[in-house]
Amino acid sequence: MDHFSRRKFIKSTVLMGAASMVGCNSTPEVDDAKIFAPPPANSPASTLVGKVPTGVLGKTGVTVPILSHGGGYELNNVMVARAFDLGINYFDVADCYLNGQSEAILGKVLEKQGKRKEAFVVTKNHPKQFKDLLVMVDQRLTSLRTDYLDLYFMHQLGDAEYPKECVDWPKSKELKEVVEALKKQKKIKFFGFSCHAGILPQALEAAAEGGFVDAIMLRYNFREVNSDALNRAIDKAKQANIGLIAMKTQGGRVSFQEKADAFKEKGFNQAQSTLKAVWADGRMDTIVSNMPSLQIVQENAMAALQKEISQTERQMLDDYAKATNHLVCHGCDHLCSSQVNSPVRIGDTLRYLMYHDNYEEYSRAKDLFGKLPLEAREAIFTTDFKMAEAACPYNLEIGKMMHKAAHKLA
Ligand code: SF4
């Protein structure tokens, strides 16, 4: 698949995913004929041999591949089998991915292949209060056709659906008790949260302090190297031996393709280089990557097998970052939000704009924006963003982008 086809493929599957990511509570039927269909006759041969290198997921002590399968795209029997061939046994799903189907599909495939014990299964929920987790875990077990979860996450901690005080949840004694109860019942082996909101640095530090969070899935990519607060917090979490799982490693996509294509002629492979940059950082135990085709699984696995990033690749990635950094919000809104006397949520709003414009996840972006408090949405039109723009290290035109978000996502 050439770059253009890959781009078109990603675009079409993103659209399918986006259309089906709304309505997290439904339990749709899974199409068995589709999941267990043989690969199409014209599908490219999988030529790669070898196993993706492994690492240890922090204090869990579990050996995991450095490349893991994200569940934002539809998995099937063939893709899961190929992943196992390449040593990728970590599968990340959630109650809401693919309209609830991601868990059901993975559960059915693992059951049919008899591979549940070989798999490391991770899923997630948005609890409103701690005791919700007790019920939610049972639902996850049912959907996944299993009696235990390897790792269970509070999903996207800090998003609009959570109360403001959720930043302290990773050190809450009450939450710790719920987690211990779930572990005692042997329903979950490990516990943590995923986060890409502006509270990420504080949440990482709270987890390091609280001592009971086993692993965290966090936004981390080649664009984050300049974020001192995030890097300090990652160091603290690492010192506390919390397993760290990188997501959003591509740092924005699709609409930057033209920029990436300009580097391609020099041998730059955007997806592979961005993965290598995260592995080179050395603090992330694995990367969860959405790999919607056998070809992409193979390309990413190839990057893992030759994971050292060359100086030329690094230079091209740096140049690519410089050319695109001002186009995408990096989520460090402790820097800009403190500069506006207003209830607006800059980091969240601009992330939803990225889902809309870069990922083309239109419904999801609008849904999330709609969940922001009304005052946070309305204040966009009355806020002066000049001071925030002056504080943004990436020179984003925050005012313009916030207005664009309000118009597109309302
Ligand atoms: S607008 Fe700038 S400072 Fe604010 S979160 Fe985005 S990148 Fe960070």
Side-chain angles (χ1 to χ4, degrees):
M1 191 184 289
D2 63 22
H3 216 122
F4 181 71
S5 311
R6 176 177 165 130
R7 182 178 156 202
K8 282 189 78 173
F9 182 86
I10 289 174
K11 186 173 169 183
S12 64
T13 47
V14 164
L15 286 170
M16 282 181 340
S20 58
M21 278 186 93
V22 208
C24 290
N25 295 321
S26 56
T27 47
E29 284 298 309
V30 169
D31 183 351
D32 282 11
K34 202 169 152 195
I35 302 168
F36 296 107
N42 61 351
S43 63
S46 295
T47 49
L48 187 66
V49 211
K51 301 271 184 204
V52 162
T54 57
V56 175
L57 186 62
K59 67 172 87 164
T60 71
V62 177
T63 299
V64 291
I66 63 167
L67 175 68
S68 300
H69 231 304
Y73 296 88
E74 204 165 286
L75 282 170
N76 58 42
N77 193 41
V78 174
M79 286 166 81
V80 170
R82 183 64 181 133
F84 273 113
D85 280 351
L86 293 166
I88 303 170
N89 68 334
Y90 180 126
F91 298 93
D92 174 272
V93 289
D95 65 328
C96 58
Y97 293 164
L98 302 170
N99 202 17
Q101 289 193 341
S102 69
E103 290 178 331
I105 293 171
L106 181 63
K108 276 199 168 183
V109 171
L110 290 177
E111 188 178 71
K112 180 142 185 178
Q113 294 186 5
K115 291 271 181 70
R116 172 62 189 96
K117 286 211 169 82
E118 287 175 49
F120 189 85
V121 174
V122 187
T123 191
K124 332 179 188 75
N125 271 122
H126 285 85
K128 297 258 181 285
Q129 46 188 338
F130 304 142
K131 67 175 186 198
D132 292 349
L133 295 170
L134 297 168
V135 179
M136 288 172 154
V137 164
D138 285 337
Q139 292 166 342
R140 308 282 62 76
L141 295 174
T142 306
S143 295
L144 277 157
R145 297 164 174 256
T146 184
D147 54 6
Y148 70 96
L149 304 174
D150 294 282
L151 177 55
Y152 180 56
F153 280 149
M154 294 189 293
H155 197 183
Q156 298 177 341
L157 192 70
D159 264 17
E161 288 154 81
Y162 288 92
K164 260 193 176 163
E165 60 272 17
C166 73
V167 66
D168 289 326
W169 284 10
K171 57 181 177 186
S172 154
K173 280 192 184 131
E174 292 77 26
L175 177 57
K176 186 180 177 198
E177 280 168 19
V178 171
V179 170
E180 283 171 355
L182 287 166
K183 285 185 176 178
K184 205 168 169 191
Q185 293 165 21
K186 299 198 183 315
K187 291 180 177 174
I188 66 169
K189 288 192 172 177
F190 303 107
F191 176 80
F193 61 90
S194 66
C195 181
H196 43 196
I199 64 158
L200 178 56
Q202 298 100 299
L204 283 161
E205 292 196 15
E209 220 176 291
F212 66 91
V213 167
D214 301 301
I216 299 169
M217 181 155 87
L218 65 150
R219 175 199 75 232
Y220 194 72
N221 59 59
F222 63 98
R223 299 185 193 279
E224 317 284 5
V225 288
N226 295 324
S227 174
D228 291 341
L230 180 59
N231 279 308
R232 274 198 305 273
I234 290 173
D235 285 342
K236 281 190 189 163
K238 193 77 191 164
Q239 280 155 21
N241 204 16
I242 294 172
L244 296 178
I245 301 139
M247 63 171 165
K248 303 276 188 288
T249 52
Q250 300 298 302
R253 60 180 183 217
V254 183
S255 55
F256 303 143
Q257 199 62 49
E258 288 70 22
K259 303 244 181 219
D261 286 347
F263 290 101
K264 189 188 165 194
E265 287 163 17
K266 300 174 196 163
F268 175 70
N269 180 315
Q270 184 195 2
Q272 292 184 335
S273 298
T274 51
L275 292 171
K276 287 179 181 181
V278 173
W279 288 317
D281 177 279
R283 293 176 295 178
M284 300 295 137
D285 300 317
T286 186
I287 290 174
V288 164
S289 175
N290 277 327
M291 299 185 279
S293 72
L294 286 174
Q295 180 68 22
I296 294 174
V297 172
Q298 173 146 319
E299 282 182 22
N300 288 1
M302 205 180 291
L305 286 166
Q306 301 156 0
K307 71 185 170 83
E308 282 70 34
I309 188 162
S310 70
Q311 272 192 351
T312 317
E313 246 178 319
R314 168 70 74 182
Q315 186 57 53
M316 279 194 277
L317 193 58
D318 288 348
D319 292 345
Y320 171 70
K322 273 186 206 134
T324 54
N325 267 347
H326 66 292
L327 299 173
V328 65
C329 177
H330 303 241
C332 42
D333 70 357
H334 56 287
L335 298 176
C336 55
S337 289
S338 55
Q339 303 299 314
V340 291
N341 186 18
S342 156
V344 289
R345 304 266 289 257
I346 298 176
D348 289 332
T349 307
L350 296 187
R351 181 155 48 84
Y352 304 154
L353 180 65
M354 178 180 77
Y355 291 158
H356 186 279
D357 283 3
N358 301 358
Y359 292 13
E360 303 186 7
E361 294 182 359
Y362 307 118
S363 306
R364 183 179 172 216
K366 288 182 179 181
D367 190 41
L368 287 165
F369 183 70
K371 285 180 180 158
L372 287 176
L374 183 62
E375 52 174 13
R377 286 176 275 145
E378 286 185 341
I380 291 173
F381 296 104
T382 52
T383 300
D384 181 350
F385 291 100
K386 279 200 193 73
M387 296 289 283
E389 287 177 354
C392 175
Y394 302 99
N395 300 320
L396 263 70
E397 293 181 308
I398 302 175
K400 214 165 148 186
M401 293 172 80
M402 291 291 284
H403 281 245
K404 188 176 166 195
H407 285 298
K408 282 192 170 179
L409 307 182

